[in-house]
Amino acid sequence: MDNSSFDPREAANISLWSEFPVCSIVRNQTSRMALYVFLTVGIICTVVGNFLVVLSIAYFKQLQSPTNSFVMSLAVADCLVGLVVMPFSMIRTMEGCWYFGVLFCQLHSSLDVMLCTASIFHLSCIAFDRYYAVCNPLVYSLKMSQSRVVLLIVVCWAVPLLISFGPIMLGLHAAGVDIPLPEGVCVLLVNRHYAVMASMVAFYLPMVIMLVAYWKIYKAARRQAMQISAMESQMAAGVSKDSSKKQRQRNTIRRERKAAKTLGIIMGVFLLFWLPFFTVNIVDPFIEYSTAGMVWDVFLWLGYINSSLNPFLYGFFNRSFRRAFLMIMGCRICLPGSSPGVDLSQTRKEGTERMDHR
């Protein structure tokens, strides 16, 4: 899913490239080093954050659930984005050229498309899973059986593999594109058919699934909040009517705000960081590849940032995950007597006391 800092409009005139070296990018040395540090920190956060998610789910039995199976597979995809895609993209972005050969350019582009698409597919599966958990809890165990979860995870990896390695390694993605590229440039120029097909499968279809699922989840959460408030008002019948009514209203507002905030953050971050890239990805072939290379770089790295934020959105917002992360980072799982079956839902103080007694 990559497009380097190279403007395809300039490639039409080969004589320009004979006068100006491909890799000559003028940047202030201070800003250049600052950007290198910023991108490196982003890569480290992506790898470490997602590795913490994988390790937490693999170690703590309490976190091993159908939903967290998707979260773990998502973290693997995002961790691989940080390990095998982002470092080479950083060098290409900063240096303005590709040092690693034509074959590795194709491999890198294929991995980029595959892993980013797999990440997005997992997000839609998490939305699908939560839809059944909230809106149809009675059939959740049936709909999200272990075999079905495994099947969905396989689909999350197989479909991205099919739309990335096959077309790119065989050159089908660029069939009919007659723009000559100079040596030392790694650009994924795609024809109109591939741009539309890949963008629809990789982004727009999962986006629709997520929007529908989270909208239904929000409505169900709102309905449940109102029902709970009604029950609370009945239980508080012996208390002052005015105070009970006010408390009920406060509880309803609090629950609705929490649901709206959580779902709004999840969808907002996803759309903010991926919608610009996929919009330009479809439009660019229809405007003769006239999008500036810097625009591609900015939108591409916005998508990468989504892989950095996923551990925060799907892990750090969860109390049990936060406690698991603290135990891992504090090396408490290495202490004698520590157990994968520890109750992560306890308060921090209670958990510490119980660990001490052990």
Side-chain angles (χ1 to χ4, degrees):
M1 293 210 170
D2 52 8
N3 286 274
S4 71
S5 54
F6 156 69
D7 192 341
R9 291 176 297 178
E10 298 179 2
N13 190 344
I14 301 300
S15 62
L16 289 177
W17 295 100
S18 62
E19 297 176 12
F20 301 99
V22 174
C23 301
S24 62
I25 291 183
V26 180
R27 283 196 180 102
N28 178 275
Q29 191 66 21
T30 302
S31 61
R32 177 185 178 86
M33 292 304 300
L35 190 54
Y36 256 123
V37 170
F38 175 77
L39 296 179
T40 301
V41 170
I43 293 172
I44 294 173
C45 289
T46 303
V47 175
V48 173
N50 285 287
F51 180 73
L52 277 175
V53 174
V54 174
L55 185 58
S56 297
I57 298 174
Y59 182 80
F60 292 104
K61 293 181 179 179
Q62 184 178 333
L63 297 178
Q64 296 168 6
S65 65
T67 300
N68 287 342
S69 296
F70 293 119
V71 174
M72 183 176 183
S73 189
L74 166 68
V76 171
D78 288 334
C79 189
L80 289 174
V81 170
L83 280 174
V84 303
V85 174
M86 293 173 67
F88 299 100
S89 295
M90 176 183 67
I91 295 173
R92 182 188 58 200
T93 297
M94 296 301 301
E95 302 299 328
C97 63
W98 185 255
Y99 297 116
F100 310 104
V102 176
L103 181 60
F104 191 74
C105 173
Q106 291 180 311
L107 180 62
H108 178 267
S109 298
S110 300
L111 286 170
D112 196 345
V113 174
M114 175 188 168
L115 293 175
C116 290
T117 303
S119 177
I120 295 172
F121 269 41
H122 282 92
L123 297 181
S124 64
C125 279
I126 291 172
F128 184 72
D129 173 86
R130 292 183 177 182
Y131 163 75
Y132 274 110
V134 175
C135 300
N136 296 285
L138 297 180
V139 298
Y140 175 76
S141 59
L142 177 64
K143 294 293 184 180
M144 285 298 164
S145 62
Q146 184 176 359
S147 59
R148 183 161 296 185
V149 169
V150 172
L151 176 62
L152 288 173
I153 291 176
V154 170
V155 171
C156 286
W157 287 97
V159 175
L161 178 65
L162 291 176
I163 68 172
S164 58
F165 274 86
I168 294 175
M169 298 304 290
L170 295 175
L172 301 178
H173 69 291
V177 179
D178 298 324
I179 296 179
L181 299 177
E183 295 183 3
V185 172
C186 181
V187 182
L188 185 64
L189 292 180
V190 298
N191 55 43
R192 296 177 180 182
H193 299 292
Y194 183 82
V196 173
M197 182 276 294
S199 297
M200 288 296 179
V201 173
F203 176 75
Y204 288 101
L205 180 59
M207 179 189 72
V208 171
I209 293 174
M210 291 177 67
L211 285 172
V212 172
Y214 282 135
W215 172 245
K216 290 188 175 183
I217 290 172
Y218 171 71
K219 290 198 300 182
R222 185 176 182 181
R223 183 174 60 252
Q224 291 170 6
M226 295 177 65
Q227 292 172 349
I228 292 173
S229 296
M231 293 175 59
E232 288 177 347
S233 65
Q234 293 176 0
M235 294 174 62
V239 187
S240 171
K241 185 177 293 185
D242 291 338
S243 62
S244 176
K245 183 177 180 180
K246 291 179 180 179
Q247 184 64 35
R248 184 176 71 252
Q249 291 175 342
R250 284 196 295 267
N251 291 339
T252 302
I253 293 173
R254 189 181 302 115
R255 291 188 184 97
E256 290 182 2
R257 284 180 177 176
K258 184 177 181 180
K261 181 180 179 180
T262 302
L263 299 180
I265 290 174
I266 291 174
M267 280 307 305
V269 168
F270 174 70
L271 293 175
L272 175 65
F273 289 108
W274 274 124
L275 185 59
F277 176 86
F278 282 100
T279 300
V280 174
N281 194 53
I282 286 183
V283 172
D284 192 53
F286 292 91
I287 58 175
E288 303 303 326
Y289 308 96
S290 58
T291 305
M294 183 175 294
V295 173
W296 277 116
D297 272 340
V298 171
F299 288 170
L300 177 64
W301 279 95
L302 280 177
Y304 289 157
I305 290 174
N306 190 71
S307 294
S308 305
L309 295 178
N310 281 336
F312 293 89
L313 295 176
Y314 294 92
F316 293 171
F317 280 178
N318 184 290
R319 182 179 301 174
S320 296
F321 267 107
R322 290 200 303 269
R323 288 170 182 161
F325 295 157
L326 289 174
M327 291 180 67
I328 292 174
M329 291 187 291
C331 294
R332 290 173 58 189
I333 63 174
C334 303
L335 296 176
S338 64
S339 170
V342 64
D343 186 3
L344 298 172
S345 61
Q346 300 173 10
T347 62
R348 187 176 179 181
K349 183 177 180 181
E350 289 174 344
T352 303
E353 290 175 353
R354 187 166 293 189
M355 288 290 294
D356 292 339
H357 285 308
R358 290 180 182 179

